[in-house]
Amino acid sequence: MKLNEKVQALVDSGVAPIYFHLDTVHFFAGGPSIYRSLLVINSLELGTLTYGQYRFVARRTKQGDHLVARHLTKLARAMPQLLADHPDALCFTVPVYARLLRDGALAKLLVETFTLFPNASPDKLCIELSADILYEDMADAKERIRELRELGVKVAICEVGDEFCPVFRLAEIAFDYAFLDSFSTASLVREDAERVAGSMVHFLHYLNVKVIAPELSTEDQIAGAKAVECDGYSSEVIGREEVTLP
């Protein structure tokens, strides 16, 4: 079956080819929430593919760049409705692969997106970069992130704090939020929580960054995140909202 026939079959099946989940980030101090948008792909051949399942492959291929572009387009188009449905939204995040920073490709993509969708507010968008960026040329990464911030978008670094993460390189770039890695969040219910996650949180606060413990699965983990002074968390206990976008 040719590619266009597969797409048509997918549409005819009544299953949305692409939608995304919204994970709500709650802040312990209250106030507006952050919504992490995670693209989900439905395929008649492969079933449902979540971001966690396809991201490691996508970040190494050009197809991953196309998925990011499509994600940004869909989110920008839907942003007025999303803000109406979530008036408490501080911003909506979009995960982006570090490779898109090179040569200013991401900044150009954002300019094109905001030109096409002028009702999409840059300050309501947060670009979520993997900590893989810390292994890139930091001088170039610093400049590329500066370009993003000049466009008015927020910047987050995710997967921060695994056991091999060169965390001190974070001091070389300016960003707004840090999402802890699972290595750090797993420590939240251990006796060494303060030494592992707590030390990471204190360092990030020194950089004037808000720290979020994502995808917590128990109330004990949430309590642990608060105890080590994380600013916020998202939780599997609360669940995800499924949003179908045009």
Side-chain angles (χ1 to χ4, degrees):
M1 183 182 292
K2 295 180 180 180
L3 178 60
N4 60 340
E5 293 174 335
K6 293 179 181 179
V7 172
Q8 186 63 51
L10 183 58
V11 173
D12 291 343
S13 73
V15 179
I18 291 182
Y19 61 94
F20 61 56
H21 287 143
L22 290 181
D23 275 357
T24 306
V25 172
H26 302 276
F27 288 96
F28 289 113
S33 299
I34 293 175
Y35 292 90
R36 299 180 81 191
S37 67
L38 302 169
L39 204 66
V40 179
I41 302 170
N42 274 335
S43 166
L44 294 179
E45 295 179 340
L46 300 175
T48 299
L49 295 177
T50 66
Y51 176 71
Q53 292 172 317
Y54 67 73
R55 68 190 178 103
F56 293 109
V57 173
R59 72 184 182 186
R60 298 194 299 267
T61 68
K62 284 289 185 181
Q63 185 61 29
D65 298 351
H66 296 318
L67 285 172
V68 170
R70 190 164 183 184
H71 191 163
L72 283 169
T73 296
K74 284 182 169 291
L75 184 65
R77 181 188 290 121
M79 190 172 287
Q81 184 59 52
L82 288 171
L83 288 171
D85 294 340
H86 303 280
D88 66 329
L90 184 62
C91 59
F92 298 89
T93 75
V94 173
V96 174
Y97 309 112
R99 56 180 284 142
L100 267 174
L101 282 182
R102 298 169 190 164
D103 302 320
L106 180 57
K108 294 174 185 176
L109 178 58
L110 287 171
V111 169
E112 293 171 359
T113 301
F114 292 132
T115 300
L116 286 172
F117 304 99
N119 290 329
S121 303
D123 67 331
K124 293 295 183 181
L125 177 66
C126 180
I127 298 300
E128 189 176 316
L129 296 164
S130 168
D132 288 347
I133 192 175
L134 301 179
Y135 300 94
E136 300 285 331
D137 178 346
M138 292 306 295
D140 185 65
K142 180 178 180 179
E143 177 63 19
R144 299 310 177 191
I145 290 176
R146 183 191 63 78
E147 292 174 351
L148 300 183
R149 291 167 66 87
E150 286 184 348
L151 291 174
V153 303
K154 298 176 175 65
V155 175
I157 308 295
C158 65
E159 300 169 345
V160 172
D162 71 36
E163 53 192 323
F164 304 110
C165 182
V167 293
F168 290 111
R169 303 195 84 187
L170 290 168
E172 300 182 42
I173 56 179
F175 60 108
D176 303 282
Y177 307 106
F179 291 88
L180 295 179
D181 182 76
S182 58
F183 177 80
S184 292
T185 57
S187 76
L188 293 173
V189 292
R190 301 199 312 247
E191 291 183 358
D192 62 350
E194 180 59 36
R195 181 179 64 84
V196 180
S199 60
M200 178 63 59
V201 172
H202 298 324
F203 172 66
L204 290 165
H205 281 167
Y206 176 77
L207 301 179
N208 199 30
V209 170
K210 299 291 186 184
V211 185
I212 297 159
E215 301 178 0
L216 303 184
S217 57
T218 68
E219 295 291 345
D220 286 342
Q221 281 187 311
I222 296 173
K226 186 175 183 179
V228 299
E229 301 183 8
C230 287
D231 297 284
Y233 69 96
S234 65
S235 174
E236 296 175 3
V237 176
I238 299 172
R240 289 174 167 173
E241 175 185 354
E242 182 179 308
V243 179
T244 302
L245 298 179

